[in-house]
Amino acid sequence: MSMLVLAAGIGPAVAGPPYQSDDPEPTDFGHFEIYSFDKGAFGRSGSSSASGLDFNYGAAPDLQLTAVVPFGYDAPSDGPSAFGPGNVELAAKYKLIHQDTLGLDVSVFPRVFLPSPSQTGDPYASILVPIWLQKDWGSTSAFGGGGCQFSLHDAAKNFCLYGATVTRQVFNDLQLGVEVFHQTSDGNGAPPSTTLGIGARYDLDDHYHLLGYVARGLENVSQTGSWAWYASVLFTY
């Protein structure tokens, strides 16, 4: 389960995916962003992965509505494998502060995780309440922030996460970035984890985009996973 937690984080200048940190920029009003993704983690204790769809819709100016539907696969080294629906996520991102007025973009992005009917997810609901910030300098952007996830079943399983990412548009169709991400213990026997990751986004055209990310564990890697990855095709319209 600890490696699945690491993989779960792995959601231009939009950012957010492929990074574990999010950015404060909501989907444009009246437009869609749909990610078809695969993500996972592996290490000495086994591997876990999840594939699915991440739907985002600009429901109003400064307001994005999100739904994520994942299917997970968990293969621990000391037990049987499992496959099934993960925790469906419902979220709303609202931009509170605009960079052109106060120097920073700031958004809240509360997220509800519904109970999973399979062993690949959490059988209980939880809520993540983060704040995300961003500052741009031409073709370079820095974004990050964090928040805490609260279990609606067991307060001992609450944990917090923090991340910081810097991206640069190196060509008109290619963006590269680097990220540091940290998660505290989740109360399931998993210790804190810290990862260092690199990501890329390649724009095939205005509607189709390729995203990739790989991260190396830096802390407690034998329990939380040595490596994590994320790959997706993004459709925008």
Side-chain angles (χ1 to χ4, degrees), residues 15 17 21 44-45 55 58 73 75 85 91 96 98 101 115 129 135 159 175 182 184-186 207 232-234 237:
S21 308
R44 285 183 234 169
S45 60
F55 299 91
Y73 177 73
L96 301 170
H98 290 256
T101 57
V129 185
K135 178 69 175 178
F159 63 91
Q175 182 192 85
H182 177 77
T184 66
S185 172
D186 66 1
H207 301 289
S232 70
V233 178
L234 167 61
Y237 59 94

Side-chain angles (χ1 to χ4, degrees), residues 91-171:
K93 180 191 291 187
Y94 184 72
K95 183 186 278 192
L96 301 170
I97 299 174
H98 290 256
Q99 193 167 161
D100 55 3
T101 57
L102 293 178
L104 282 176
D105 291 320
V106 180
S107 289
V108 293
F109 198 5
R111 187 177 296 258
V112 176
F113 296 82
L114 302 182
S116 168
S118 76
Q119 297 182 29
T120 64
D122 191 330
Y124 304 104
S126 59
I127 299 175
L128 173 64
V129 185
I131 295 177
W132 302 109
L133 307 90
Q134 181 167 316
K135 178 69 175 178
D136 299 322
W137 299 271
S139 58
T140 301
S141 298
F143 65 92
C148 295
Q149 187 162 322
F150 303 96
S151 170
L152 301 185
H153 172 71
D154 184 358
K157 295 182 179 180
N158 298 347
F159 63 91
C160 297
L161 50 84
Y162 313 95
T165 303
V166 177
T167 64
R168 183 170 179 83
Q169 199 74 33
V170 295
F171 300 109

Side-chain angles (χ1 to χ4, degrees), residues 50-70:
S51 300
L53 295 174
D54 181 345
F55 299 91
N56 301 277
Y57 175 62
D62 295 331
L63 176 63
Q64 169 188 312
L65 301 181
T66 294
V68 182
V69 182

